Amino acid sequence: MQLRQFFALGALAVGLTYCAPSTPPAPAAAPEEPTLKSAFAGHFTVGAALGAPQFTGQDTAAAQLVAREYNTITPENVLKWGEVNPERGVYNWEAPDAYVQFGEDHNMFIVGHTLVWHSQLAEYVKEIKDPELLRAALKEHIDAVAGRYQGRIDGWDVVNEALNEDGTLRKSVFSDVLGEDFLTDAFKMAEEAAGPETELYYNDYNMWNADKRNGAIRIINKIRENGGRVDGVGMQGHYSLSGPSIDTIEQSIRAFADAGLKVMITELDVTVLPNPWDLVGAEVSQNFEGSPFMNPYPEGLPDSVQTALAVRYEDLFRLFLKHSDDITRVTLWGVNDGHSWLNGWPIRGRTNYPLLFDRQNGKKLAYERVMALKK
């Protein structure tokens, strides 16, 4: 009796073994959601300008957005002369070090902005009137800043905004004391300090303007003739809903490429607000009193304007794709609408909506239209 029970239990165990359902296969991993950097890979890098909160851990949501969407970064302010080197021999390295480390941690193309600029300049530089002393201060600054990040910063805006709208040299302490030679000096010094692998750029706004474009090509050719290296040009993209025209921007892209320059679309944003007194450009010293007429959307952007912004960005990125053999980088000036400098310039306290992400880091219709170009 016990033996029969033993065999019966054994048969039952075997039956249970064969009848048990098999383990279901693991669900397939969901495909990664496309991002700006993945969508435009193989065409150009896509990046944003960062403020200190976004790379020092103060604004973690924006930092996560940057790490997800972008593969190149530019600093808004921390590497400008007045910030990093406010007094002769005095350097503020903490924020720039954090910026570079953030880029390295996320395997990004790191841009340095900017070595030589007439604005946001340390006061001690403005007081130098002797050519030999100013040239020495220029070299000391470039050696310290570009030299510190040799092999870590991938490209430098060596000279920023040195031209007037007619293409002539802008009046500044550098042009007043050193003349046009300061341009060649700066690029030679930058190459020596940053190293041969670091790209060197000239960066300016309104480069769609034919006179300014031709002036930029002229000074770049002169720098090269005098032994300086200029690898590319940054065409700042501070645009509006209505201008400049796509055709006008395209003419400058072609002209710079024909001059043997890499083309970068830098500081890209699209203002949706009125332009006071037909203001042109990005001269940061200008500012204006506000009015309700000049700040029409404090509570949110109407759908019609949101759509117009999306169409504008779609048209711009379509142009960039068309010329992706010549364009190496597209950098937006800010991470989200709340972070944009256009909330405070040229009129303080306005509410602008110039970027691809809203104030809560949400994707705007403009983002969707840009991404749709690559579907």
Side-chain angles (χ1 to χ4, degrees), residues 144-189:
V145 179
R148 182 178 181 86
Y149 301 110
Q150 184 180 126
R152 301 180 70 192
I153 283 182
D154 300 295
W156 271 104
D157 289 335
V158 177
V159 178
N160 193 52
E161 300 175 3
L163 296 174
N164 296 311
E165 293 306 294
D166 63 359
T168 59
L169 193 64
R170 178 195 291 273
K171 182 177 176 60
S172 71
V173 62
F174 302 109
S175 62
D176 286 349
V177 178
L178 299 175
E180 199 167 88
D181 289 344
F182 89 86
L183 298 165
T184 300
D185 290 342
F187 276 90
K188 285 183 174 180
M189 293 171 185

Side-chain angles (χ1 to χ4, degrees), residues 291-359:
S291 72
F293 175 78
M294 288 294 179
N295 189 31
Y297 313 122
E299 303 302 325
L301 201 58
D303 289 346
S304 59
V305 184
Q306 196 81 260
T307 300
L309 178 68
V311 170
R312 180 65 161 155
Y313 265 110
E314 181 182 19
D315 290 344
L316 287 167
F317 271 80
R318 184 180 289 111
L319 173 67
F320 304 156
L321 282 172
K322 179 180 177 181
H323 293 281
S324 61
D325 286 346
D326 299 313
I327 294 174
T328 60
R329 171 167 57 92
V330 175
T331 295
L332 291 109
W333 203 245
V335 175
N336 62 42
D337 286 342
H339 171 221
S340 172
W341 72 304
L342 291 174
N343 294 299
W345 185 93
I347 297 174
R348 293 184 182 91
R350 293 204 294 180
T351 306
N352 212 327
Y353 305 83
L355 298 170
L356 299 179
F357 295 91
D358 64 25
R359 283 166 167 74

Side-chain angles (χ1 to χ4, degrees), residues 27-35:
E32 290 190 13
E33 186 176 353
T35 62

Side-chain angles (χ1 to χ4, degrees), residues 351-372:
T351 306
N352 212 327
Y353 305 83
L355 298 170
L356 299 179
F357 295 91
D358 64 25
R359 283 166 167 74
Q360 290 73 45
N361 297 311
K363 299 171 183 176
K364 294 163 62 176
L365 179 61
Y367 175 95
E368 302 297 342
R369 295 287 281 267
V370 165
M371 292 293 288

Side-chain angles (χ1 to χ4, degrees), residues 184-250:
T184 300
D185 290 342
F187 276 90
K188 285 183 174 180
M189 293 171 185
E191 181 175 14
E192 182 179 356
E197 301 303 316
T198 305
E199 294 186 346
L200 307 178
Y201 316 129
Y202 175 73
N203 188 62
D204 212 329
Y205 60 83
N206 288 357
M207 297 285 262
W208 50 266
N209 173 353
D211 290 338
K212 199 166 194 178
R213 174 187 73 218
N214 293 336
I217 292 172
R218 179 189 64 80
I219 64 170
I220 289 169
N221 285 339
K222 185 174 181 180
I223 292 166
R224 288 171 160 178
E225 289 166 4
N226 290 328
R229 173 165 64 85
V230 185
D231 299 302
V233 62
M235 293 178 57
Q236 293 183 25
H238 296 298
Y239 302 144
S240 72
L241 290 176
S242 58
S245 71
I246 294 297
D247 288 344
T248 302
I249 300 169
E250 183 172 30

Side-chain angles (χ1 to χ4, degrees), residues 128-150:
I128 302 174
K129 305 304 179 185
D130 179 85
E132 186 175 339
L133 293 179
L134 183 57
R135 192 173 285 107
L138 190 66
K139 179 169 172 53
E140 182 180 290
H141 174 78
I142 292 174
D143 282 352
V145 179
R148 182 178 181 86
Y149 301 110
Q150 184 180 126

Side-chain angles (χ1 to χ4, degrees), residues 2 65 74 136 238 264 276 286 331 343 368:
Q2 291 177 346
L65 185 157
T74 300
H238 296 298
M264 282 139 282
Q286 301 177 82
T331 295
N343 294 299
E368 302 297 342

